[in-house]
């Protein structure tokens, strides 16, 4: 029952926030439904103090300074991911 | 173990997307970490075809036309919630 509930929760997150989430131990791999490439994933690591930090990878390094500022200056992951989602959404809408 | 995993997943969603999510049957109640009032919640209902629809309440009716357009015109819940998050985040940052 709980296993099914996790699955429902993951599905709901995908529909609501637009990200497929994979929990790998204390790491969370996020992939946007609007991603341009399958390899465009973000990896967050949960620290001992429950803080989440974005691990650097090719994709994270490719994001604009403007988007990164929400993490580095504003210290807000939700604002960072929201900005990224709108950015990808607008690109997709524009391309279509 | 799965019960604990759901809890970890909910916590991660809160940190990553900024929404506290409560699953009540086929309904999902969302409350932003940037909400101005405790009663500012959004209720999504999962339909038989797995589509999610936003149920009308006082809070949903109070949102701007611009934010609603992401649902009604663009048909994108992730874009709608991202826009809402940035809106609330900016308001809070401005007020502080």
């Amino acid at each position: 029952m709980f296993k099914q509930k996790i699955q429902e929760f993951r599905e709901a997150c995908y529909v609501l926030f637009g990200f497929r989430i994979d929990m790998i131990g204390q790491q969370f791999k996020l992939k946007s439904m609007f991603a341009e490439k399958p390899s465009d994933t973000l990896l967050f690591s949960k620290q001992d103090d429950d803080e989440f930090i974005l691990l650097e990878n090719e994709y994270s390094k490719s994001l604009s300074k403007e988007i990164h500022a929400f993490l580095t200056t504003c210290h807000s992951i939700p604002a960072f991911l929201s900005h990224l989602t709108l950015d990808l959404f607008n690109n997709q809408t524009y391309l279509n």
Side-chain angles (χ1 to χ4, degrees), chain A residues 2-50:
Chain A
F2 284 118
K3 200 172 177 178
Q4 191 197 328
K5 234 179 161 179
I6 290 180
Q7 200 44 40
E8 280 180 40
F9 211 94
R10 283 183 76 226
E11 283 300 321
C13 283
Y14 185 72
V15 174
L16 295 170
F17 305 117
F19 283 94
R20 178 75 59 204
I21 306 171
D22 286 305
M23 245 174 102
I24 312 147
Q26 294 298 298
Q27 294 195 344
F28 294 81
K29 193 169 83 174
L30 272 69
K31 192 169 150 185
S32 172
M33 62 165 71
F34 308 119
E36 286 167 24
K37 299 195 302 286
S39 59
D40 288 353
T41 58
L42 292 174
L43 205 59
F44 287 90
S45 175
K46 188 179 168 184
Q47 308 298 289
D48 291 338
D49 59 359
D50 285 348

Side-chain angles (χ1 to χ4, degrees), chain A residues 30 44 51-54 70-71 74-83:
Chain A
L30 272 69
F44 287 90
E51 202 192 339
F52 281 53
I53 55 163
L54 177 65
F70 283 98
L71 276 187
C74 308
H75 304 286
S76 173
I77 297 176
F80 165 75
L81 290 177
S82 293
H83 203 290

Side-chain angles (χ1 to χ4, degrees), chain A residues 42 54-65 68:
Chain A
L42 292 174
L54 177 65
L55 302 181
E56 197 177 274
N57 63 11
E58 285 307 310
Y59 182 54
S60 76
K61 284 195 277 185
S62 78
L63 299 175
S64 72
K65 274 187 189 171
H68 266 293

